[in-house]
Structure formats: C-alpha cells, structure tokens
Amino acid sequence: MFNPIKYFRNRRVGVALGSGGSKGLSHISVLEFLKAEGIRVDMIAGSSIGSVIGALYSIGAMESFRDEILSMDWREYIKLVDPVFPRTGLVKGEKIRDYLARFIPEKTKIEDLPIPLSIVATDFYTGKPVVFRSGNVLDAIRASISIPGVFTPVRWGESILIDGGVSNPLPVDVVKRMGAGLTVAVNLHPSLPRKRLSRATREKMEQVHEADANKITYSHGTDSSSSEQKTWMWQLTAFFEKRRIKPHPEKNEINIFTVIAQSIDILEYMNTQMILHAYKPDVTIEPDLIGMPTLDFTNAARALAEGREACRRVRGQIIRKIKFWL
C-alpha cells in the first residue's frame, strides 16, 4: 500500500544489540532475519557481545563467524582462554582479540566500517558509558567485553574501561543519537534468571523479603577422564558457568561464581528496564535464553535458533513498525 507519509519521516533503521555473553549469538539470527525481510540496517550500537556481532555484521564477516562458532567444541574454546594471576580478572582476553582478528582485520577503524557502528564500554571510575565512534575496532571491542571479575579491564588514557553492559546493556539511546528514526532493540535480559535458584533457596529469600518489606523503600560429547578436562582452564569455562546454575540440592550453596554472574544479571536487567522506559524502541526482540550460561558458547545452535524464534514472535510488529515505513 502506498504510504506518502513515510517520505516525511526519518526512515533510517538503527539496531541496538544488547549485552549478555553467549546469549548474544542470537543477535546473528536477528540481523539475518531483518535482511531476509528486506530491511536494511543503517546503523548499529552494540554493548559487550553486541559490539562483537555488530562489528562482524558491519564488515561482512558475520556469516563466516557463525559457521565457525557452530563447528567449535569446548576444547577449541579453551584455547581462547589466557589465564592470568587474578588481581583484576581471571582472563587476559588477548587470545579472544586475536581470534576476532581473523574476521576483523587488525587495523580496521570504527569510522571506516561500511555500516556505522557505536561500541559501548564503561568507565570504571565514573560508571558512565564510554561510546566509541572512532578508533581501532578490536581495541574498542576488547574494552566492551570486559566482564567484571572475568576479563581484566582495559586501560584507556588515565581511566580504566570495563564491560559496556555495566552502564548501558541495551544502547537504544546511542543508536537514536546516531540518527536512527526506526529502532530495533535486542534485549537479552527480559527477566531475572531466578531458575538458577533451588526452590528451597527461593522460599528462604521470599521469607526474608516479606520480613523486611516494611524496612525497605525501592526507588524504582567428551571424555570425562581426560587430563586436559581437569585443568583449571576447563574449570574456568565448565565449572564457572555450568555448575554455578546448579546449587547443591541439599545444602543450597551459592558459590562465588554464582554471586558474580547473578549480580551482573541483576544489574543489567535493572538498567535495561530503565533504558526501555526512557528510550522506547519501535520493536523489542527478546530471545528466551534466561537459563543459558553467560560463557557457554558451545550452545551456539540454541542461541541462533531462539534468535530466529524471537523474531518470528514479533514479525507482525517488525512489518507494521519498521518495514511499513521503508
């Protein structure tokens, strides 16, 4: 149907890709879905894993990255871990940067990318977002993915940068400031991962909340015998992620990794809700990956499938609110 009004509005499409570790592989399916629908993405803002997928898409390497990720197993992921003495983080992150350099040439500048991209990190001292619109792509990504307690922070001038998800887990505001008139946001934190807690633990927490309610005011397939599998690098990936979501059935223990992961999830969930309230996108896509561990990239097929399903759930909105105006 002919729509003359569309010629009087900003029809540039911007996509905000949120933080969420391995859940962010679903961003790939979202971008592929938009392309299949004939929707050209004019600009991207990405935080943490969103910056990785955004850069890969902009430079045209997303499909090859997707295919390789699908073919990798846990042994190959372990090779990307470069452990350091845990003063500011457990992993140096240089091997991941080198791996991404296979898809994004080392000297690529953000300002030279075919599709405009903003990469969001967080200033450790001020807590404010740091938005990269220029400079080396790989350096900016390395800062943006610096999950507190996992990756060592990145020095930036006189400051230090950590994961972009800490300050802005869903950069809708950033993509709007870039000039987008139609916005699509991929939210990887639609709710809190309460399923990680056992029933007994949840009941105890609920009892505590009820008791303190009047005091608080809220303002808003491998060989398990392998010696390699028993190395601490394997523990960093398997134990850190997979075991942390399974508290002991009797003791209901919460270990340090559970505390770190759940705290980050809570922080990003709360910040995401405020962002969506203040900068409402035209379409919000929310993959159902709450129970997926943040660093479990061996589950790539699941993340990709749920990304496609999440798009199908809101396809009507995408047609009415985005495609209709193009």
Side-chain angles (χ1 to χ4, degrees):
M1 182 179 67
F2 178 68
N3 178 19
I5 302 176
K6 70 181 183 181
Y7 295 104
F8 296 94
R9 71 165 296 174
N10 181 351
R11 295 180 290 151
R12 302 177 72 198
V13 178
V15 179
L17 302 178
S19 62
S22 58
K23 302 179 187 69
L25 294 177
S26 59
H27 292 324
I28 296 174
S29 294
V30 172
L31 292 168
E32 290 177 336
F33 185 91
L34 295 175
K35 182 178 180 180
E37 288 290 338
I39 298 173
R40 185 185 69 182
V41 174
D42 296 300
M43 61 201 70
I44 299 172
S47 186
S48 197
I49 185 64
S51 71
V52 176
I53 305 303
L56 290 167
Y57 182 80
S58 179
I59 207 167
M62 189 179 72
E63 288 77 10
S64 56
F65 174 81
R66 175 204 61 205
D67 293 343
E68 183 159 321
I69 287 291
L70 285 170
S71 69
M72 292 173 66
D73 61 19
W74 65 266
R75 294 178 181 85
E76 293 169 288
Y77 284 111
I78 288 177
K79 295 177 182 178
L80 301 180
V81 176
D82 44 1
V84 293
F85 184 77
R87 296 182 61 183
T88 59
L90 298 173
V91 180
K92 189 175 182 180
E94 290 305 307
K95 287 187 177 181
I96 292 178
R97 187 186 187 282
D98 292 341
Y99 174 74
L100 291 175
R102 293 169 51 185
F103 304 93
I104 303 170
E106 176 67 40
K107 296 183 179 180
T108 304
K109 300 293 185 181
I110 299 174
E111 61 268 33
D112 295 332
L113 291 171
I115 300 174
L117 173 70
S118 289
I119 294 176
V120 181
T122 300
D123 188 307
F124 177 78
Y125 294 120
T126 67
K128 296 180 179 180
V130 175
V131 180
F132 289 93
R133 291 295 311 278
S134 62
N136 186 276
V137 174
L138 293 172
D139 288 343
I141 288 176
R142 176 59 186 87
S144 184
I145 65 172
S146 299
I147 302 173
V150 179
F151 293 103
T152 56
V154 172
R155 290 198 173 275
W156 183 61
E158 297 182 354
S159 190
I160 291 176
L161 301 182
I162 58 175
D163 196 289
V166 173
S167 60
N168 193 339
L170 188 58
V172 183
D173 57 323
V174 176
V175 81
K176 286 189 174 185
R177 286 199 299 270
M178 292 173 70
L182 302 168
T183 53
V184 177
V186 188
N187 176 20
L188 303 179
H189 297 280
S191 63
L192 286 175
R194 292 179 63 87
K195 291 181 179 179
R196 289 177 179 163
L197 304 177
S198 68
R199 179 178 179 182
T201 302
R202 289 199 304 270
E203 290 176 349
K204 289 181 180 179
M205 291 178 65
E206 289 168 359
Q207 291 172 3
V208 171
H209 286 313
E210 290 176 2
D212 293 342
N214 61 338
K215 302 177 183 178
I216 303 174
T217 300
Y218 294 94
S219 61
H220 294 89
T222 59
D223 178 8
S224 61
S225 63
S226 168
S227 60
E228 181 183 10
Q229 189 172 359
K230 296 179 181 179
T231 65
W232 84 271
M233 287 190 294
W234 167 248
Q235 295 299 313
L236 178 64
T237 54
F239 180 76
F240 177 86
E241 283 299 333
K242 293 183 178 179
R243 295 189 184 181
R244 73 177 174 84
I245 67 173
K246 299 176 182 178
H248 192 285
E250 296 178 359
K251 298 180 180 180
N252 296 308
E253 295 174 341
I254 299 178
N255 59 48
I256 185 173
F257 301 123
T258 304
V259 172
I260 292 174
Q262 181 76 354
S263 298
I264 293 173
D265 282 336
I266 292 171
L267 172 67
E268 295 191 346
Y269 168 75
M270 297 302 293
N271 282 345
T272 296
Q273 294 307 304
M274 290 188 286
I275 290 168
L276 289 174
H277 178 74
Y279 305 96
K280 186 175 178 59
D282 294 288
V283 176
T284 303
I285 301 173
E286 298 182 330
D288 184 10
L289 294 166
I290 297 302
M292 183 171 175
T294 302
L295 298 180
D296 186 12
F297 285 85
T298 61
N299 235 334
R302 176 192 169 193
L304 291 167
E306 177 50 35
R308 290 189 292 270
E309 182 59 32
C311 289
R312 284 194 286 268
R313 288 195 293 267
V314 297
R315 183 175 183 273
Q317 293 183 43
I318 293 173
I319 299 300
R320 294 192 308 272
K321 297 183 178 181
I322 304 295
K323 193 172 183 178
F324 174 77
W325 294 100
L326 301 179

